[in-house]
């Protein structure tokens, strides 16, 4: 529904989506990798990452087709499948380049997983009518959608900085010692 609300701004142009609970760190960045792939194949693109099989039920998952390097044809999409029913362990990782036609699918307001209007379901309906590919992101992903994930990303990024790493490591050790 949130994407559909932007329909007047999107108009008839392809558009990008960045889900805010996913922080993608890489060089080049995730969207840069996707734009380069878009220039090659056009159509609809999503970023994906490989996760352990036991985690697939928390995410949208692709049914992969032919792959060439980081680019994979998308044959289908499933939102939060049961582990044994998941077509792969490649999850949609919160970055998209979509064609404006997805808005026509979203305007039907059909409810999917969790009783919510799912972007994944709308995209799945477009497969076969337009080119649809996934780009496997070469970088690190942090899931900031939970309290623990939010803490992890702050700590991880601070530990990567030369000007903070030593102090943050000392702080963490001090806090760990206080907890025992």
């Amino acid at each position: 529904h949130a994407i559909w609300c932007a329909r007047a701004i999107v108009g008839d142009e392809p558009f990008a989506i960045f889900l805010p609970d996913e922080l993608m760190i890489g060089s080049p960045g995730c969207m840069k990798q996707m734009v380069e792939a878009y220039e090659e194949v056009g159509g609809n693109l999503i970023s994906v990452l490989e996760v352990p099989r036991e985690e697939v039920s928390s995410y949208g998952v692709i049914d992969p087709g032919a792959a060439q390097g980081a680019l994979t044809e998308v044959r289908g999409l499933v939102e939060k499948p049961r582990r044994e029913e998941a077509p792969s362990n490649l999850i949609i990782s919160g970055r998209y380049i979509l064609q404006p036609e997805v808005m026509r699918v979203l305007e039907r307001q059909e409810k999917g997983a969790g009783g919510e209007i799912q972007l994944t379901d709308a995209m799945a309906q477009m497969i076969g009518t337009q080119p649809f590919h996934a780009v496997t992101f070469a970088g690190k992903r942090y899931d900031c959608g939970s309290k623990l994930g939010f803490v992890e990303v702050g700590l991880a990024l601070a530990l990567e900085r030369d000007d903070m790493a030593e102090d943050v490591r000392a702080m963490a050790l001090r806090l760990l010692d206080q907890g025992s």
Side-chain angles (χ1 to χ4, degrees):
H1 181 259
I3 304 304
W4 179 76
C5 289
R7 67 195 178 283
I9 296 166
V10 168
D12 292 327
E13 298 292 326
F15 62 101
I17 301 170
F18 293 71
L19 296 187
D21 61 346
E22 301 282 341
L23 184 61
M24 312 291 274
I25 306 292
S27 185
C30 184
M31 190 53 68
K32 172 84 169 143
Q33 292 173 36
M34 293 179 68
V35 167
E36 289 171 359
Y38 182 82
E39 290 170 352
E40 184 181 330
V41 295
N44 297 283
L45 283 155
I46 55 177
S47 65
V48 296
L49 294 168
E50 210 172 323
V51 298
R53 252 314 180 187
E54 50 275 1
E55 294 180 19
V56 295
S57 62
S58 298
Y59 303 98
V61 177
I62 73 164
D63 179 5
Q68 183 176 11
L71 199 59
T72 303
E73 175 190 16
V74 176
R75 296 186 311 197
L77 300 165
V78 183
E79 184 62 31
K80 298 181 173 83
R82 292 178 16 178
R83 179 177 59 189
E84 57 277 2
E85 296 171 356
S88 74
N89 65 336
L90 292 171
I91 64 159
I92 304 169
S93 56
R95 300 293 183 269
Y96 312 78
I97 297 175
L98 299 176
Q99 299 303 308
E101 288 79 8
V102 73
M103 295 299 184
R104 292 193 243 325
V105 179
L106 287 170
E107 75 186 3
R108 292 188 285 236
Q109 307 286 310
E110 296 171 359
K111 293 190 175 17
E116 298 177 351
I117 299 165
Q118 295 288 347
L119 179 60
T120 301
D121 296 339
M123 292 186 305
Q125 292 180 42
M126 296 173 56
I127 294 171
T129 64
Q130 297 179 336
F132 217 110
H133 292 87
V135 177
T136 301
F137 173 56
K140 292 182 184 176
R141 166 198 169 251
Y142 295 96
D143 184 348
C144 304
S146 69
K147 292 179 234 177
L148 189 57
F150 187 76
V151 171
E152 177 188 24
V153 69
L155 187 57
L157 293 178
L159 289 170
E160 288 181 11
R161 291 180 54 124
D162 292 336
D163 64 332
M164 295 178 72
E166 186 177 328
D167 291 336
V168 170
R169 195 171 280 107
M171 176 188 63
L173 290 171
R174 185 179 70 251
L175 291 170
L176 287 169
D177 283 343
Q178 291 174 4
S180 51

